[in-house]
Amino acid sequence: MALMRRQSLVKFDAPLCETIIDTPKPQGREVLVRIERCGLCHSDLHIQDGYADLGGGKKLDTTRGMTLPFTLGHEIAGVVEEVGGDVPAGLIGAKKAVFPWIGCGQCRDCANGDENLCVKQRFLGVSIDGGFASHVLVPDAKYLLDYDPLPVNQAATLMCSGVTAYGALKRLVDRPRQRNLLLIGLGGVGMMGLSFAQAMFKQPITVADLSPAARETALKNGAATAYDPAEPEVIRRILKETDGGFDEVVDFAGNEKSMAFAVSVLARGGKAVVSGLMGGQFTLPMVQWVYKRMTIEGFMVGTLAEAHELMALARAGKIKPTPMQEESMADVQKWIDSLRAGRVVGRIVLKN
């Protein structure tokens, strides 16, 4: 029997190491995909740690229900190698991106198409084994998306950083006031957001990031203005230069400082969407919330329908590719360490 190699989490808060098992055989609607590329995402770090930071010294335990060894990785693209009995054999050999945000298929949220909200979710690389491996077993063929003529790297990253950035921005598209837009945090998801925003919005796009390299990359990739949130008096300057702040903000960092910054530069009647998971706690005086008439919405990954929408936009050539670098799957831990240290601009994509 063929063997499957995995870069596995064998202990929380410890480096990944290689494990080898028999390659699983797909049953029913299942599909076995040979992985060509898998993107590295910041949320992989939280899963490796085994907790999310709730602020004030509190932690949310994310280890419950997880059996080790476990395979992380959820930005997957590859080739269909084997299919279950209920899947047409003609699918074998097809190049596909894999939508990882899979629900139980039975609950109210799943029936509504909101599998990404499912409490009993089966997210690849989060709840069931994912993409830092030679193969992945996908629960149903409906989660496979055609990506031709896109490069395989871009196809893989659209499945998490892509659908997260797209979904977060989509929640701002129909607002009546569209003067200006601010994107905070220019990691892999933020850079995707910058690319998509240029296709989705007419107004100039401003960015904010602590890293000079990230700001410079953003300006080269279509941002009109870039701010350093740590610069003295920067909030006063922004409010003056934007005539009262930003109507729309997306916080791709999602920590205490980024959210405080987002709210302080939000215009009256503005909306902020938070999709970063760096953690901490956010507080705001109730009076300020009401006086500014602000809206704050949390957002984490999109639906299968939104993944199809995004893929159609990308395949039609309407989205500029974002900065990416390709590395060997065997070196995934080295790149996890680099991402943790803030040494990565753009997206790391691992190849087998």
Side-chain angles (χ1 to χ4, degrees), residues 100-115:
W101 313 111
I102 298 168
C104 69
Q106 312 292 322
C107 68
R108 182 185 63 188
D109 287 322
C110 287
N112 204 36
D114 295 320
E115 291 189 63

Side-chain angles (χ1 to χ4, degrees), residues 61-336:
D61 181 7
T62 57
T63 66
R64 277 173 300 192
M66 281 180 75
T67 308
L68 301 183
F70 182 78
T71 311
L72 301 173
H74 50 264
E75 292 190 335
I76 304 165
V79 178
V80 177
E81 192 162 278
E82 204 176 334
V83 297
D86 299 336
V87 180
L91 202 58
I92 293 170
K95 288 177 168 287
K96 298 282 186 176
V98 181
F99 180 78
W101 313 111
I102 298 168
C104 69
Q106 312 292 322
C107 68
R108 182 185 63 188
D109 287 322
C110 287
N112 204 36
D114 295 320
E115 291 189 63
N116 52 327
L117 301 180
C118 177
V119 177
K120 297 180 193 163
Q121 46 87 356
R122 299 174 290 167
F123 295 172
L124 295 175
V126 179
S127 300
I128 62 175
D129 283 331
F132 295 156
S134 57
H135 297 78
V136 65
L137 189 65
V138 182
D140 193 301
K142 73 177 182 181
Y143 301 112
L144 304 180
L145 286 81
D146 290 324
Y147 65 82
D148 188 63
L150 299 177
V152 64
N153 282 354
Q154 190 184 1
T157 56
L158 288 179
M159 293 297 95
C160 173
S161 56
V163 81
T164 298
Y166 174 72
L169 287 163
K170 198 176 151 183
R171 274 137 188 87
L172 297 171
V173 165
D174 60 354
R175 289 183 62 76
R177 291 206 307 185
Q178 301 272 335
R179 282 184 319 149
N180 52 18
L181 170 67
L182 171 68
L183 308 180
I184 302 171
L186 296 165
V189 185
M191 284 293 182
M192 283 263 186
L194 174 59
S195 169
F196 300 168
Q198 292 169 72
M200 295 166 75
F201 294 85
K202 292 185 174 67
Q203 66 261 44
I205 295 139
T206 302
V207 296
D209 197 286
L210 296 168
S211 154
R215 293 196 300 273
E216 192 178 322
T217 303
L219 289 168
K220 283 180 186 160
N221 283 274
T225 315
Y227 290 106
D228 176 0
E231 184 194 302
E233 300 291 315
V234 71
I235 290 164
R236 186 175 295 176
R237 181 158 77 90
I238 287 172
L239 293 176
K240 188 176 174 188
E241 290 175 3
T242 57
D243 190 22
F246 292 94
D247 290 335
E248 300 158 327
V249 178
V250 184
D251 180 2
F252 288 118
N255 61 31
E256 296 175 28
K257 286 185 174 172
S258 65
M259 269 303 288
F261 178 72
V263 167
S264 63
V265 297
L266 195 64
R268 290 164 75 84
K271 178 174 179 178
V273 176
V274 194
S275 81
L277 279 171
M278 289 181 79
Q281 203 167 31
F282 168 67
T283 57
L284 184 72
M286 295 307 293
V287 171
Q288 191 182 354
W289 201 299
V290 175
Y291 277 1
K292 277 188 98 164
R293 301 166 186 77
M294 71 175 77
T295 304
I296 298 177
E297 180 175 347
F299 179 78
M300 191 180 94
V301 307
T303 62
L304 181 57
E306 285 171 335
H308 278 289
E309 287 169 20
L310 173 59
M311 191 62 87
L313 265 180
R315 291 175 77 188
K318 294 190 175 156
I319 289 165
K320 289 190 290 190
T322 53
M324 280 181 217
Q325 80 190 66
E326 230 181 47
E327 301 294 343
S328 167
M329 185 75 76
D331 293 334
V332 61
Q333 186 57 50
K334 175 180 132 183
W335 293 104
I336 285 174

